[in-house]
């Protein structure tokens, strides 16, 4: 029975920690585990490039078995990847992946750091990566993180000695880790940091190696392991009812937008690390061997250890509150330590234990989910002493307003006390939004002015409540962030962050507006009220030579949270043109130009992001043939919406409905990115797709991968076709047109090399490397120092129709409004219609 309860408590603990705003409600097992970690004075930093690069098995092992304070430093937030669960890309994807990393750390017990590096997409070599990132800036962030966190050991995920053999971001992360190891204790390196932190020297730097880096298991078995240490990360934790690798699986499964949800694993499993710098542990199964991780490590710590080791040894799982006198005594001694670093860390850890052991419940919840600068709301406060320990609530203080309630209230056991404090925000209050998105950055680096924010996973919350209490006559202050607590009939009690947002925001649904002729378009602008009784006007700023009417529209919105849509008419110039349109909302003589984007998933806390409210407008002279396009969605892209903007009628096709002859009504059928990786039904529908081509249809397949998901089909094309991992990552790389006379580059639009100007992030990815002679390669391109890649766009006639496979990154280019990409895609949709009566050319 006890084992069942332990397992239940452990699972509940893992679950309740996931929604980051919900209060933690630790069990006795959790308190004991925290006490063990309190008594271990050692730190480990794991370092890699992206969300999902981290080895959750090793992070969990170091945190839960070794009991070390463990953190993961991800140089980027994964902004350049793709999203398997929603529409968020680029900056918004970075926000989502940040929260997924925090959710993973809440499971494996680690903490999380970042640098300012922007994940600009795949890079083949660290030379490119470090140039785009601005090496010195990212290196300074790594040094800053190490100086602040002060780890004893650092573990690189990747090998710094193999540039050019893997993702440039990966190798760069290892190279920066190696370089930083030698700089963090040098006062002449990044001296401006030393006003806010101090130098530090880690003891050891490891590389988290495995047989994979040796080419095969056989090679690894034969390798010299003199500098290798190994640990068994499959250990079982009776107090948690889980194996370490089960916890690791649960943690990595938080990376849902990357498709990392997976089953748990159990059993013995070895992890290896290679010593890169520092001294080799004598005990190769103990990465901290020879490092003092006891309380005697710090001056005055021995007396604290004498108290806390005894509490750990004799811990009362039935009544943790019985240890409060010793815990309170140790807390007083910690506050007398001269070592400010360990004093700060251990005082906070011990306060958390005291709070849990005493059963003291403290919560501060705002009446509303958000507030605007100059607005007012009420913060409801709940205080409950669930032990028999003498606890007095001396006062409550709302930060940063300084509003105080002096209570001097003795808290009777299990009697709930409720209070409220009025909250009025300053007129110049900063909005709540990810700090790294507050200012425009560069392709490779986010702009962050405040040094103290660099490295933090998210923007610190503005409003907190300080609970000043006496426990066993010891004054202790607990601080809780103000949250918003509410319920939904279908989900129960929920928590989300309490935020400061503008009085009004504006939104345009289409971020890229394509004008394929000179016709005027109605452009809707949605206005959302962040306060009640909003009255104002909105204007639409347009580029030169574009026209907008009316010049201004007045509006009023009565209820906070309500929206109103206004309509402008925008007319493009005759010639091709690009620019931005920006809604400017004026309320009470203040101008607002922000858009509010909300990210809401069950596995992470709700996020509110303020971005510039704007849309790209493109006047594009593009011709097309055909009208009705069938689209089979893959892993998610916005190509259907982009095609509709240039006049196509796009029909979303459910693969389950595909049958003999059902596709004949379409002028072309397009498969979304990675469709053969993620849509299992296609394996049963492929014959109908190929029949459609044979009978005169036009089938366009966008890129698929051969990675861990694999293809759900063998006969990808009507002729032999082999995919590869070939890609061209430089979006400005030279493009040569191989088949100059082919219809794909001539009808209905003439394609030249100029049409490849202005592409974003990359040229393309996962090109075929081998194909049957029936295929014609259309283009050639390559990254610097590489051989030409000719598989980015290939076409083959089949029966009466045409089969096209392309790895070109249309899924990035069309939503970004790249004119040449639209013209080329229109040509792909039009192939085979050269001799068919087509629509009249669109006149500019």
């Amino acid at each position: 029975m006890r084992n069942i309860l332990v397992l239940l408590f452990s699972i509940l603990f893992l679950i309740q920690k996931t929604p980051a705003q919900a209060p933690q409600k630790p069990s006795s097992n959790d308190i004991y585990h925290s006490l063990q970690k309190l008594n271990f004075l050692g730190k480990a930093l794991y370092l890699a490039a992206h969300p999902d690069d981290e080895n959750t098995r090793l992070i969990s092992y170091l945190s839960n078995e070794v009991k070390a304070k463990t953190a993961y430093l991800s140089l980027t937030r994964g902004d350049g990847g793709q999203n398997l669960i929603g529409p968020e890309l680029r900056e918004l994807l970075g926000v989502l992946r940040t929260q997924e990393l925090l959710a993973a750390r809440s499971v494996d017990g680690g903490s999380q750091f970042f640098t300012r590096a922007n994940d600009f997409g795949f890079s083949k070599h660290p030379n490119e990566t470090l140039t785009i990132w601005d090496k010195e800036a990212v290196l300074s962030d790594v040094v800053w993180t190490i100086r602040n966190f002060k780890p004893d050991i650092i573990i690189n995920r990747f090998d710094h000695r193999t540039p050019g053999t893997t993702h440039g971001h990966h190798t760069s992360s290892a190279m920066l880790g190696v370089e930083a190891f030698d700089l963090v204790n040098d006062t002449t390196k990044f001296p401006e940091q030393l006003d806010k932190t101090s130098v530090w020297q880690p003891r050891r730097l490891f590389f988290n190696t495995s047989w994979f880096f040796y080419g095969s298991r056989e090679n690894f078995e034969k390798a010299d392991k003199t500098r290798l240490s190994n640990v068994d990360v499959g250990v079982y934790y009776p107090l948690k009812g889980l194996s370490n690798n089960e916890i690791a699986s649960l943690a990595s499964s938080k990376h849902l937008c990357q498709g990392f949800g997976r089953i748990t694993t159990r059993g013995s499993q070895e992890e290896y690390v290679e010593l890169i710098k520092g001294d080799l542990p004598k005990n190769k199964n103990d990465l901290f061997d020879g490092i003092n991780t006891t309380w005697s490590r710090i001056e005055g710590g021995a007396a604290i250890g004498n108290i806390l080791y005894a509490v750990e040894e004799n811990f009362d799982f039935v009544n943790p509150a019985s240890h409060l006198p010793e815990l309170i005594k140790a807390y007083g001694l910690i506050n007398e330590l001269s070592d400010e670093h360990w004093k700060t860390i251990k005082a906070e850890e011990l306060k958390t234990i005291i709070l849990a052991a005493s059963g003291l419940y403290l919560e501060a919840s705002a009446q509303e989910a958000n507030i605007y600068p100059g607005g007012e709301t009420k913060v409801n406060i709940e205080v409950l002493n669930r032990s028999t320990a003498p606890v007095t609530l001396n006062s409550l203080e709302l930060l940063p307003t300084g509003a105080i309630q002096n209570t001097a209230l003795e808290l009777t056991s299990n009697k709930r006390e409720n209070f409220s404090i009025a909250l009025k925000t300053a007129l110049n209050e900063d909005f709540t939004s990810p700090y790294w998105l507050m200012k425009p950055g560069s392709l490779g680096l986010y702009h962050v002015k405040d040094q103290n924010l660099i490295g933090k996973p998210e923007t610190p919350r503005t409003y907190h409540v300080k609970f000043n209490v006496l426990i066993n006559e010891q004054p202790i202050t607990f601080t809780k962030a103000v949250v918003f607590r509410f319920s939904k009939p279908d989900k129960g009690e929920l928590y989300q962050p309490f935020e400061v947002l503008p009085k009004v925001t504006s939104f345009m649904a289409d971020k890229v507006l394509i004008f394929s002729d000179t016709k005027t378009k109605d452009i809707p602008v949605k206005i959302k009220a962040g306060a009640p009784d909003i009255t104002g006007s909105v204007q639409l700023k347009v580029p030169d030579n574009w026209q907008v009417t009316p010049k201004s529209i007045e509006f009023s919105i009565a209820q906070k949270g309500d929206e109103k849509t206004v309509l402008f008419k925008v007319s493009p110039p005759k010639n091709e043109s690009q620019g931005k349109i920006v809604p400017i909302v004026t309320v009470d003589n203040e101008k607002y130009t922000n858009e509010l984007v909300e990210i809401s998933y069950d596995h992470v806390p709700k996020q509110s992001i303020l971005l510039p409210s704007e849309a790209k407008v493109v006047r594009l002279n593009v011709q097309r043939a055909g009208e009705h396009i069938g689209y089979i969605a893959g892993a998610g892209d916005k190509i259907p919406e982009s095609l509709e903007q240039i006049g196509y009628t796009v029909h979303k096709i459910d693969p389950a409905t595909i049958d003999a002859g059902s596709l004949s009504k379409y002028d072309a059928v397009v498969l979304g990115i990675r469709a053969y990786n993620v849509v299992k039904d296609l394996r049963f529908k492929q014959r109908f797709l190929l029949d459609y081509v044979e009978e005169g249809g036009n089938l366009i397949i966008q890129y698929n991968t051969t990675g861990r998901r694999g293809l759900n089909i063998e006969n990808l094309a009507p002729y032999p076709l082999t995919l590869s991992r070939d890609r061209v990552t430089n979006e400005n790389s030279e493009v040569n047109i191989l088949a100059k006379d082919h219809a794909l580059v001539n009808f209905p639009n003439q394609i030249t090399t100029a049409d490849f100007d202005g592409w974003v992030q990359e040229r393309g990815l996962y090109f075929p490397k081998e194909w049957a002679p029936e295929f014609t390669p259309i283009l050639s391109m390559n990254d610097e120092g590489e051989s030409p890649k000719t598989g980015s766009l290939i076409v083959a006639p089949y029966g009466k129709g045409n089969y096209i496979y392309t790895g070109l990154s249309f899924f990035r280019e069309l939503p970004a409004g790249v004119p040449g990409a639209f013209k080329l895609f229109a040509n792909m949709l039009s192939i085979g219609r050269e001799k068919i009566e087509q629509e009249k050319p669109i006149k500019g």
Side-chain angles (χ1 to χ4, degrees), residues 43 110 252 564 588 658:
K43 297 185 187 179
S252 62
K564 175 165 285 191
D588 298 331
I658 298 175

Side-chain angles (χ1 to χ4, degrees), residues 653 657-666 688 692:
I653 300 174
T657 66
I658 298 175
D659 208 338
S662 66
L663 303 176
S664 60
K665 56 182 172 286
Y666 302 119
F688 300 123
Y692 164 74

Side-chain angles (χ1 to χ4, degrees), residues 435-565:
Y435 68 85
W436 62 96
L437 299 179
M438 295 292 195
K439 300 285 185 182
S442 65
L443 173 64
L445 195 71
Y446 283 118
H447 175 79
V448 181
K449 188 176 180 180
D450 187 348
Q451 179 70 43
N452 289 317
L453 288 175
I454 293 174
K456 293 185 183 298
E458 54 187 346
T459 306
R461 292 290 145 186
T462 301
Y463 292 99
H464 297 78
V465 170
K466 286 174 63 176
F467 298 81
N468 299 306
V469 302
L470 281 176
I471 303 179
N472 282 16
E473 302 303 318
Q474 170 69 48
I476 304 180
T477 297
F478 299 102
T479 303
K480 294 286 184 179
V482 176
V483 297
F484 175 59
R485 183 178 66 158
F486 63 108
S487 67
K488 287 186 176 181
D490 58 335
K491 293 186 178 181
E493 184 179 64
L494 298 170
Y495 289 81
Q496 70 182 49
F498 174 67
E499 299 173 321
V500 182
L501 300 174
K503 268 188 179 181
V504 64
T505 54
S506 60
F507 168 73
M508 288 184 290
D510 294 319
K511 298 309 176 189
V512 176
L513 296 162
I514 306 296
F515 290 75
S516 58
D517 53 30
T518 57
K519 293 180 182 178
T520 296
K521 284 190 177 183
D522 289 334
I523 305 300
V525 176
K526 185 180 291 184
I527 303 164
K528 183 173 183 177
D533 300 321
I534 291 291
T535 300
S537 63
V538 57
Q539 297 174 297
L540 197 62
K541 182 181 178 182
V542 298
D544 293 340
N545 300 322
W546 293 65
Q547 303 297 321
V548 59
T549 57
K551 296 296 183 185
S552 178
I553 300 176
E554 294 186 353
F555 71 91
S556 61
I557 304 175
Q559 299 295 324
K560 178 181 178 180
D562 283 355
E563 299 174 341
K564 175 165 285 191
T565 299

